[in-house]
Amino acid sequence: MLDMNIVAAGAVLETYLRVDSPAMLWGPPGVGKSSIVKQIAKGRNWKVIDYRCSTRDPVSMMGLPDLAADTTRWKVPDEFPQVARDGEEGILLLDEINAAPPMMQAAAFGLVLDRFIGEYRLPPGWRVVGAGNRKSDKAAAQAMPTALGNRFAHIGVVADLESTVAYFAAKRLPAMLIAFLRFRPGLLHQMGEGDNMAFPTPRSWEELSKVMDVEDDMLRLRAFAGYVGEGAAGELKSFIEMASDLPTVDSIVRNPASARLPQNKAAQFAITAALAHHADEHKLPAMDAYMRRLPRDFQVTFGMDYVSMHPALANTQTYVDWTVTNQDVLFNN
């Protein structure tokens, strides 16, 4: 099983869904496994039914006996896909499947490969996807029986800076968070140690973005720490404070040739993210002229980020010129 970033994992999963082959996503907590499934389903206008195997038992999966029947029959579980209610196509996500007890995993055998369990049959247009953590991810994972594992095609998912940043940019998350993760990529994903339940993951950074507007210093630090732990929270807080002394976007747009340039690398990441966040068709030429005064790495990052945040800017002459200037980087990627 190859480990891959979210973009590559999504492409492979799309392939398996196309041929209706059950697939299993493996990876640490917070890396975006269920998000991959939901994004694909959204693009196809499909429904996702999230069935949490770790909170169910084999009886609930098979359905209760129908005592009114003359022979032993099982009532179909209402949670499973029903065409009349859920549509003809969709994804049944068996999340946390390998955190379930062995008997529960065994109950899933027929549903995954043969598409039925008890009296229930999965509608023809519905696909099965599993998701779970590996034992090495320090999560509540159990060994998956080989008989169940052999019923899936397997995809390993790892945290990746560029795909995460592109996702955050498309969702218009705060520019300072994107800048910070580019500055400290090692903090994108770090599993917690011991009893520390707050640690950095793409999921916890996305949640933290909701409280980045807190102004009180002590409250800000405590709020950040609740998502990503004290160390990462302290670094982000310091980064934001440093960025407050940067030239404003308006001053840069007015005087791109003479506006003050930040000298340290952290500040350069911050101003790059800020400009990308505020870019529009009218401001972009001046912003691009300013960015050309910074090292090339930041010019490349600026172009990648603003077009992720504002796809329409890909149609501007400024972006066309940027692609020509940086075609060696784009080709190598």
Side-chain angles (χ1 to χ4, degrees):
M1 177 175 61
L2 291 174
D3 284 343
M4 58 194 82
N5 64 34
I6 290 175
V7 175
V12 174
L13 180 57
E14 286 266 22
T15 300
Y16 293 147
L17 291 173
R18 179 172 53 81
V19 298
D20 195 11
S21 179
M24 177 75 190
L25 296 166
W26 297 90
V31 78
K33 299 183 295 296
S34 59
S35 294
I36 296 172
V37 177
K38 291 171 183 176
Q39 288 281 53
I40 291 175
K42 183 179 180 181
R44 298 185 176 197
N45 199 28
W46 287 356
K47 184 174 182 178
V48 175
I49 292 181
D50 189 335
Y51 187 86
R52 298 281 168 146
C53 297
S54 60
T55 63
R56 304 294 193 277
D57 58 39
V59 173
S60 68
M61 177 173 271
M62 180 172 287
L64 295 173
D66 184 356
L67 301 180
D70 294 333
T71 58
T72 303
R73 299 178 66 86
W74 304 92
K75 294 183 178 180
V76 174
D78 185 61
E79 291 177 274
F80 287 160
Q82 315 292 329
V83 170
R85 180 192 64 196
D86 305 314
E88 294 184 354
E89 293 184 292
I91 297 174
L92 175 61
L93 174 60
L94 303 178
D95 209 352
E96 302 175 355
I97 184 171
N98 65 317
M103 286 184 63
M104 184 62 181
Q105 294 190 51
F109 286 4
L111 183 61
V112 173
L113 186 63
D114 300 321
R115 303 175 64 85
F116 76 88
I117 181 170
E119 300 294 324
Y120 176 77
R121 289 189 176 274
L122 191 68
W126 280 73
R127 280 74 166 172
V128 176
V129 176
N133 311 124
R134 295 165 289 204
K135 284 188 173 182
S136 59
D137 296 321
K138 305 175 185 177
Q142 303 192 44
M144 176 176 282
T146 54
L148 178 59
N150 195 239
R151 284 164 161 77
F152 283 112
H154 298 271
I155 306 170
V157 186
V158 294
D160 169 74
L161 180 65
E162 290 306 323
S163 56
T164 301
V165 164
Y167 171 74
F168 285 1
K171 293 196 72 172
R172 301 300 302 275
L173 266 57
M176 285 304 102
L177 176 59
I178 292 173
F180 175 72
L181 292 175
R182 286 201 180 280
F183 177 62
R184 287 287 280 115
L187 289 177
L188 176 63
H189 194 288
Q190 284 188 352
M191 290 299 297
E193 298 291 340
D195 295 331
N196 185 10
M197 294 294 102
F199 51 88
T201 69
R203 178 171 59 201
S204 60
W205 285 120
E206 183 174 0
E207 288 299 308
L208 181 149
S209 71
K210 300 173 183 177
V211 299
M212 284 188 67
D213 58 352
V214 172
E215 295 182 357
D216 181 84
D217 282 351
M218 187 52 66
L219 178 58
R220 172 187 283 176
L221 179 61
R222 290 170 176 167
F224 288 0
Y227 291 110
V228 297
E230 293 181 18
E235 289 200 40
L236 176 58
K237 177 177 176 291
S238 297
F239 185 86
I240 293 172
E241 291 168 350
M242 173 277 305
S244 65
D245 190 39
L246 294 174
T248 65
V249 172
D250 287 342
S251 68
I252 290 172
V253 172
R254 284 195 304 269
N255 300 292
S258 58
R260 177 166 55 90
L261 289 175
Q263 298 304 308
N264 68 75
K265 201 164 188 178
Q268 290 170 343
F269 274 110
I271 199 65
T272 300
L275 291 178
H277 185 81
H278 290 93
D280 62 32
E281 184 178 357
H282 304 292
K283 297 175 183 175
L284 186 58
M287 291 177 169
D288 184 72
Y290 177 83
M291 288 303 304
R292 288 175 184 272
R293 298 168 57 199
L294 288 173
R296 190 185 179 205
D297 287 352
F298 294 99
Q299 299 173 34
V300 171
T301 297
F302 174 64
M304 294 173 65
D305 283 357
Y306 76 66
V307 83
S308 292
M309 297 179 187
H310 319 281
L313 293 180
N315 299 319
T316 62
Q317 187 60 47
T318 301
Y319 182 73
V320 172
D321 293 342
W322 177 88
T323 58
V324 172
T325 302
N326 299 288
Q327 58 184 311
D328 58 325
V329 177
L330 298 176
F331 180 78
N332 288 335
N333 286 341

